[in-house]
Amino acid sequence: GLTLDAEGALYVSDGEKHEVRRYDRGGDKKGTLVAGGHGEGDQRHQLNYPTHLFVDAQFTLYVSDYNNHRVMAWERGAQEGIVVAGGNGKGGDLTQLSSPQGVWVDGCGHVYVADLGNHRVMRWEKGAKQGTVVVGGNGEGAEAHQLSRPEGLFFDRDGHLYVADCGNHRVQRFSLI
């Protein structure tokens, strides 16, 4: 996964090394470890195959921790992350995720997650112990109300949610307002 912050720094997830590095502008070739980097694991200072990334206006880094079935938030300079979605094992309950991919955080701090294995997109309110299904969740399929292995998420200025619905080879747009 890749993302940029407001200062133009590039964040890169490395699934094989279980870490995320930030590369500052100006030719930084080594990068700075900003999440994980303590071997594969499920502790708060570890990741297990990080994929998609998002950085908010406060420079908090959100990481889809694929094999731990959770999304972690790492505040700037933190030595460990905070579970903000999932983290209760792999599953389809509202407290669980299954191989999370795309992640997006809105201005209110709501965390949106492409829940690949459950064929849905979920929203987690700040501090919530469970999420809400906002798109999909009707079994895997190709109907307009279904998804198949959603991976990427994006919101436009008008509040439309775009979902890369990979199993159906399409991008769908949803209005959640």
Side-chain angles (χ1 to χ4, degrees), residues 65-164:
D65 193 7
Y66 186 84
N67 286 332
N68 283 325
H69 312 289
R70 65 187 183 185
V71 174
M72 300 285 289
W74 296 68
E75 293 180 356
R76 194 174 212 176
Q79 298 301 310
E80 59 183 36
I82 301 164
V83 177
V84 294
N88 296 302
K90 180 179 182 178
D93 291 343
L94 295 178
T95 62
Q96 296 175 304
L97 296 170
S98 178
S99 306
Q101 289 284 345
V103 60
W104 189 275
V105 182
D106 68 16
C108 297
H110 303 133
V111 177
Y112 292 82
V113 182
D115 190 7
L116 180 122
N118 288 315
H119 314 290
R120 65 190 182 186
V121 175
M122 296 192 67
R123 178 180 61 230
W124 296 69
E125 306 288 330
K126 195 169 191 168
K129 299 294 182 202
Q130 71 178 33
T132 303
V133 177
V134 294
V135 174
N138 301 302
E140 181 178 13
E143 299 296 321
H145 68 287
Q146 294 178 306
L147 299 171
S148 176
R149 298 185 356 253
E151 289 194 20
L153 300 178
F154 182 81
F155 277 91
D156 67 17
R157 283 184 234 143
D158 298 322
H160 296 110
L161 169 64
Y162 294 81
V163 179

Side-chain angles (χ1 to χ4, degrees), residues 24-48:
D24 293 322
R25 298 174 75 169
D28 180 4
K29 294 195 187 316
K30 183 179 177 192
T32 302
L33 181 68
V34 292
H38 300 280
E40 174 185 332
D42 63 0
Q43 301 301 305
R44 290 180 44 179
H45 68 289
Q46 295 177 305
L47 297 168
N48 187 348

Side-chain angles (χ1 to χ4, degrees), residues 5-76:
D5 68 20
E7 295 175 345
L10 175 68
Y11 295 73
V12 180
S13 64
D14 186 331
E16 299 301 316
K17 292 183 180 178
H18 312 288
E19 67 182 28
V20 178
R21 289 191 170 271
R22 182 186 70 238
Y23 296 85
D24 293 322
R25 298 174 75 169
D28 180 4
K29 294 195 187 316
K30 183 179 177 192
T32 302
L33 181 68
V34 292
H38 300 280
E40 174 185 332
D42 63 0
Q43 301 301 305
R44 290 180 44 179
H45 68 289
Q46 295 177 305
L47 297 168
N48 187 348
Y49 204 78
T51 58
H52 292 70
L53 308 171
F54 185 91
V55 178
D56 69 13
Q58 290 74 41
F59 299 95
T60 299
L61 170 67
Y62 295 82
V63 181
S64 287
D65 193 7
Y66 186 84
N67 286 332
N68 283 325
H69 312 289
R70 65 187 183 185
V71 174
M72 300 285 289
W74 296 68
E75 293 180 356
R76 194 174 212 176

